[in-house]
Amino acid sequence: MKKLVRDKIPEFAHYATYRKLAPAEIEPALKQKLIEETNEVLAAKTETNLIEELGDVYEVILAYLKYKNVDQETFLNQVNKKRALKGGFTKYLEMNWEEK
């Protein structure tokens, strides 16, 4: 199985082989890792596990921002602009509509 792993995994997981991704492989690998970690959030059974998996999603987002050369301040400014315009997700509203 091929997948993006955390930077220190090769130091203690000697049962696998590792290689540095080619530039064209990085963005697809980050997208796939984001999906993988998001699925682990969905599967979390305990609060502790949920927090751990959300942390993994956060780490992938940070890696993606670094890959795209977007600093956290710029990113958070964009997040805040969108929140000011459209709100966040804290009112827990659900929309139901039918496509016409």
Side-chain angles (χ1 to χ4, degrees), residues 31-48:
K31 287 179 178 181
Q32 187 59 45
K33 192 65 174 183
L34 188 56
I35 291 167
E36 176 189 330
E37 296 301 343
T38 301
N39 284 331
E40 291 178 11
V41 167
L42 291 170
K45 301 287 187 216
T46 66
E47 284 295 309
T48 300

Side-chain angles (χ1 to χ4, degrees), residues 4 15 18 24 32 47 50 57 61 78 82 86 88:
L4 188 64
Y15 52 84
Y18 304 91
Q32 187 59 45
E47 284 295 309
L50 175 65
V57 170
I61 291 170
Q78 185 63 38
K82 190 165 187 176
K86 296 186 177 185

Side-chain angles (χ1 to χ4, degrees), residues 31-82:
K31 287 179 178 181
Q32 187 59 45
K33 192 65 174 183
L34 188 56
I35 291 167
E36 176 189 330
E37 296 301 343
T38 301
N39 284 331
E40 291 178 11
V41 167
L42 291 170
K45 301 287 187 216
T46 66
E47 284 295 309
T48 300
N49 184 230
L50 175 65
I51 298 304
E52 180 181 319
E53 299 305 339
L54 288 169
D56 289 346
V57 170
Y58 181 71
E59 285 292 336
V60 176
I61 291 170
L62 291 177
Y64 210 147
L65 291 172
K66 182 176 180 180
Y67 170 74
K68 290 296 204 177
N69 293 315
V70 176
D71 62 84
Q72 287 184 49
E73 182 179 357
T74 301
F75 173 70
L76 292 175
N77 284 339
Q78 185 63 38
V79 169
N80 289 329
K81 283 180 188 176
K82 190 165 187 176

Side-chain angles (χ1 to χ4, degrees), residues 9-26:
I9 296 296
E11 294 175 17
F12 57 85
H14 301 289
Y15 52 84
T17 58
Y18 304 91
R19 70 178 181 88
K20 188 168 177 80
L21 294 177
E25 297 174 297
I26 296 171

